[in-house]
Amino acid sequence: MTILAALVFLISNVAAVAIATELSIRIVAKQFSPMLRIAGGIASYVIIVSLLTIVLGHFGWLDARVATGVLAVPAIAAFIMLKRRFSKAPRVTVDLRQACDWSPLLPIALGLGAWWLLRNLALGSYISLDDKTYHAAILAHWLREGGFDIAPTTYQAYYPFNGELLCLWFMLPFGHDGAVPFNGLVYLALFISLSLHFAHAFNIPKRWQLLPAVLVLASNGIFSHLTTFADVDFCAPVMLLAATAFLLASLDSGNVPERHAHHRALGLLGGACAGFAVGMKVSFAPPVALLCFIYAVVLSRRLPRQAASACLGVGLSAFITGS
């Protein structure tokens, strides 16, 4: 049974990653840094599996095998498109002299990352008081019921639960919290890719671009927080940071007619990340509203003809993931 559960876990996540990778390649244009494309893939993965979990939960089908079946067809299509894409792609060469510019912080980041990964997977999830009250308790209730409902014993069941959806996704194949630490690793990878993208965008010297990642990896407080079910205080800001990155990229893409498709898709992805942050924690509604307002104002000045439809798309995607 454990081997079957592990196999379902592997297949479902590989399928979701394949779909997210193809989406990110289509959404994020080549003129942006590779790290933004990686961040797009991670954010797409989070949104895909979370929305799928919501749909399955509402229909009472919280089963990893059902989720794998739903992902099967789009995953096969994504694998075919990725195979064609990479077979035509030119070979990439690495300039070791440029790679050496990372040398002051790269060994530190790799060492801290390896230690983080070892502790994360070896220690497993930490059950905090809030987890016992509702973060983990409501997920266990949903798993037992096979779908979503309001737990009658806790008023926190009415709280937004976007932050717990990825934890629930990792619990589906096994029926327990053994794989929940992967939740923190996903958001950590998203943060690192976004920090490298912004460092590149602001022309920070390469030898210092890993500094934010090193500081986060060295923080024992953040590590302890990311091993719990109640890690929204880190994950929600990361999703807001992702929304900022994608909406800024959308504004840059809108100036070039050939990239209007990327402009709209990046706006939708940015709106989805913004709404997802609000669905993690309602207190993020004001900064998300401010971000969307600034995006609408700048877009109306740059592309007045497309502003209304683009803002509508951003708002709609934010509403879908945040409600």
Side-chain angles (χ1 to χ4, degrees), residues 22 30 40 87 98 136 185 217 226 229 269 277 279 319:
E22 178 61 26
K30 292 181 179 180
S87 64
Q98 291 183 358
L185 293 176
L217 289 170
L226 285 180
F229 289 78
L269 182 57
F319 175 78

Side-chain angles (χ1 to χ4, degrees), residues 3 35 38 40 44 59 62 69 71 77 95 107 112-113 170 173 177 203 223 225 262 264 288 316 321:
I3 297 177
M35 287 300 161
I38 293 174
S44 298
F59 282 97
L62 274 179
L71 291 173
D95 190 341
L112 288 172
F170 288 131
D177 64 335
N203 294 317
F223 170 81
H225 192 63
H262 292 286
R264 292 183 179 276
V288 164
L316 182 61
T321 58

Side-chain angles (χ1 to χ4, degrees), residues 106-232:
L106 183 58
I108 300 174
L110 291 176
L112 288 172
W115 176 237
W116 182 297
L117 182 64
L118 179 63
R119 289 196 300 168
N120 186 280
L121 298 181
L123 296 178
S125 57
Y126 172 72
I127 308 296
S128 67
L129 179 61
D130 284 347
D131 292 335
K132 295 177 182 178
T133 306
Y134 64 101
H135 285 291
I138 193 68
L139 300 188
H141 175 73
W142 288 340
L143 279 177
R144 185 180 63 184
E145 297 296 322
F148 293 157
D149 67 352
I150 301 299
T153 57
T154 170
Y155 71 89
Q156 292 96 339
Y158 293 90
Y159 284 5
F161 275 91
N162 275 5
E164 289 78 8
L165 287 174
L166 194 56
C167 294
L168 180 59
W169 168 260
F170 288 131
M171 292 172 69
L172 286 182
F174 305 102
H176 56 71
D177 64 335
V180 166
F182 284 107
N183 176 73
L185 293 176
V186 170
Y187 286 104
L188 176 66
L190 180 57
F191 168 77
I192 293 175
S193 59
L194 288 169
S195 66
L196 290 174
H197 163 69
F198 278 113
H200 174 79
F202 288 109
N203 294 317
I204 295 175
K206 284 187 176 181
R207 60 181 63 245
W208 301 113
Q209 288 182 7
L210 278 170
L211 183 59
V214 169
L215 293 176
V216 168
L217 289 170
S219 171
N220 191 59
I222 294 178
F223 170 81
S224 300
H225 192 63
L226 285 180
T227 56
T228 70
F229 289 78
D231 53 2
V232 293

